[in-house]
Amino acid sequence: MSYILSNDNRFYVALEQSYGAAATISASNRIPAVKLTTKQQTQKVRRTDKTGSRTFAGNPSGLRIQTSFGLRTYMANWADSSSQPPHGPLFQACLGGSPALSAGGTVASTSGSSTVVFAAPHGLSPGGAVTSGGEIRFVTVVVNANTIQLNAPFSVTPNANAQTGPTSMYQTAENLSSLTLFDYWSPSTSVQRVLAGMAVDTLSIKVNGDFHEFDFSGQAQDLVDTASFQSGEFGLSTYPVEPSVAPINYSIIPGNLGQVWLGSSPTRFLTLTNATVTLANNVELRASEFGAILPSTIAPGQRTVSISFSLYQMDNTATAALYQAARQRSPISVMMQLGQQQGELFGIYMQSVVPEVPAFDDSDNRQQWQFQSCRAQGSVNDEIYVAFG
């Protein structure tokens, strides 16, 4: 008998077909998670009956159960482009929209700095992603079946007959899907866990750290483990066996690699020091109806998408334009690229963000502007797009 090592575990995540029914997983569902925190507690109630004593007599069984989670994970490469990336289910559950997979295409020609003409129909829609030369961009206008306009130009314009790479794009939708997360430990005799009915309430993406990371948090229907599992829980007759464990075959991406484009006329900024993109679904699980102990489904509220970022002030037109946009409450577009080579790209695109007037930070040698909680807006489910490439 020995202690259980805190890094000797593996995480798998997959979308559920119905809320609270455990999903089926394979080795491809493994994600490079850093930390999982879970908390489960029964509803706090107060007994006021006269027991004839000052001693607490205890609460009855059957009180409602509340389960919350926080999952921190590294961004990793997308090795198998024939299916969505391992992190795809997490983003689909958070944003709501199904993945829009594109195999890429052959470039016929380019017109201007941001217009690409394909040799065959591209099958893309606004918000779709395109990769070329280790960069990712988003479609703003579909000109026709073969022609698109991008949110910003590629650093190196693709030549005729150049091949764009595969992408998997996710966008917001009205309804949210639920997840199952499997937490397996070694040795196999240690307590294993399954979280089902996971509703992702908050997503946080931090830029310019040691590594690119995604943080997901929210509420789950229930938590089951090998020490207390009973047949029928989560629709399982037996506790699920872990898929065959393969050697680690993913790579993680340094947090300093990437680029950012800001402005009403997007300009690449090289002065960004940090940024955090946050999406909050304001989820309330249906957990208060009479006759229910566990939540029965997900009820998302109004979505909040925002970005906070800091950059060095420069005496140039593009930097001054950001300050002017903030003072005038004029929307700007924001695009961030994490990574810098095909298969290790992740893009975030917000087409209309109202910047807040920045705070001036002159505590260091160079002055920084801090833009806090700048909220993205849109018409219908178009305030943010994310994509792997």
Side-chain angles (χ1 to χ4, degrees):
M1 183 173 63
S2 62
Y3 294 117
I4 306 300
L5 297 178
S6 61
N7 67 339
D8 204 356
N9 70 318
R10 297 153 300 280
F11 297 91
Y12 303 79
V13 65
L15 284 172
E16 297 175 347
Q17 295 299 312
S18 59
Y19 181 76
T24 302
I25 57 169
S26 64
S28 63
N29 294 111
R30 185 177 174 183
I31 58 171
V34 177
K35 184 178 183 180
L36 171 67
T37 57
T38 61
K39 182 179 181 181
Q40 187 172 69
Q41 58 185 6
T42 55
Q43 185 180 24
K44 302 299 183 183
V45 296
R46 182 187 174 199
R47 287 186 59 163
T48 58
D49 51 325
K50 313 303 183 182
T51 63
S53 170
R54 292 171 53 223
T55 302
F56 175 58
N59 284 322
S61 61
L63 293 176
R64 291 191 175 101
I65 296 174
Q66 300 169 339
T67 306
S68 60
F69 71 90
L71 176 66
R72 180 181 167 203
T73 174
Y74 285 140
M75 171 187 163
N77 65 311
W78 181 20
D80 182 10
S81 60
S82 63
S83 60
Q84 66 169 322
H87 285 93
L90 285 161
F91 281 93
Q92 185 174 347
C94 180
L95 275 70
S98 299
L101 290 166
S102 172
T106 303
V107 175
S109 63
T110 55
S111 175
S113 60
S114 302
T115 302
V116 179
V117 181
F118 289 93
H122 48 70
L124 297 167
S125 59
V130 178
T131 61
S132 175
E135 295 183 316
I136 190 167
R137 299 291 184 266
F138 290 83
V139 178
T140 56
V141 177
V142 175
V143 180
N144 55 48
N146 289 52
T147 308
I148 56 172
Q149 186 171 330
L150 302 175
N151 69 292
F154 288 111
S155 298
V156 177
T157 303
N159 297 321
N161 297 319
Q163 190 74 24
T164 61
T167 59
S168 181
M169 184 274 287
Y170 303 82
Q171 71 177 95
T172 51
E174 291 300 306
N175 298 315
L176 301 179
S177 301
S178 58
L179 294 164
T180 303
L181 185 144
F182 299 81
D183 182 13
Y184 290 101
W185 292 77
S186 295
S188 59
T189 51
S190 59
V191 176
Q192 320 291 320
R193 302 182 296 177
V194 175
L195 272 168
M198 293 173 61
V200 179
D201 185 28
T202 304
L203 162 66
S204 177
I205 304 172
K206 298 180 180 179
V207 177
N208 203 24
D210 293 335
F211 302 100
H212 289 310
E213 297 182 9
F214 307 134
D215 287 359
F216 302 89
S217 61
Q219 304 171 67
Q221 184 189 63
D222 201 2
L223 171 66
V224 166
D225 55 67
T226 50
S228 60
F229 175 77
Q230 295 181 359
S231 179
E233 292 180 311
F234 295 162
L236 300 169
S237 56
T238 58
Y239 195 88
V241 177
E242 181 180 7
S244 298
V245 179
I248 293 177
N249 62 351
Y250 59 79
S251 59
I252 57 177
I253 294 88
N256 61 293
L257 299 182
Q259 52 186 259
V260 58
W261 292 75
L262 305 170
S264 55
S265 297
T267 302
R268 183 177 177 181
F269 277 74
L270 301 175
T271 55
L272 187 83
T273 56
N274 65 76
T276 302
V277 177
T278 304
L279 186 152
N281 284 308
N282 295 304
V283 167
E284 291 185 9
L285 297 183
R286 285 187 56 190
S288 59
E289 284 90 344
F290 180 69
I293 297 176
L294 299 175
S296 58
T297 192
I298 302 171
Q302 187 179 49
R303 187 186 305 112
T304 301
V305 181
S306 64
I307 179 172
S308 297
F309 62 96
S310 298
L311 51 79
Y312 290 119
Q313 182 189 177
M314 300 284 285
D315 57 347
N316 59 19
T317 303
T319 305
L322 287 182
Y323 190 85
Q324 184 178 14
R327 290 299 302 268
Q328 296 177 350
R329 307 291 295 168
S330 300
I332 63 171
S333 70
V334 176
M335 194 216 80
M336 291 189 174
Q337 172 187 309
L338 281 57
Q340 64 177 14
Q341 67 181 37
Q342 183 66 43
E344 298 183 358
L345 295 173
F346 178 79
I348 307 162
Y349 177 51
M350 294 173 281
Q351 58 186 345
S352 182
V353 176
V354 178
E356 299 293 334
V357 176
F360 284 44
D361 181 0
D362 57 3
S363 58
D364 292 331
N365 293 332
R366 292 174 294 277
Q367 186 191 78
Q368 291 192 63
W369 285 355
Q370 298 176 342
F371 295 81
Q372 298 295 325
S373 302
C374 307
R375 189 165 182 180
Q377 59 189 16
S379 51
V380 178
N381 296 323
D382 60 355
E383 59 264 61
I384 186 170
Y385 301 88
V386 302
F388 292 87

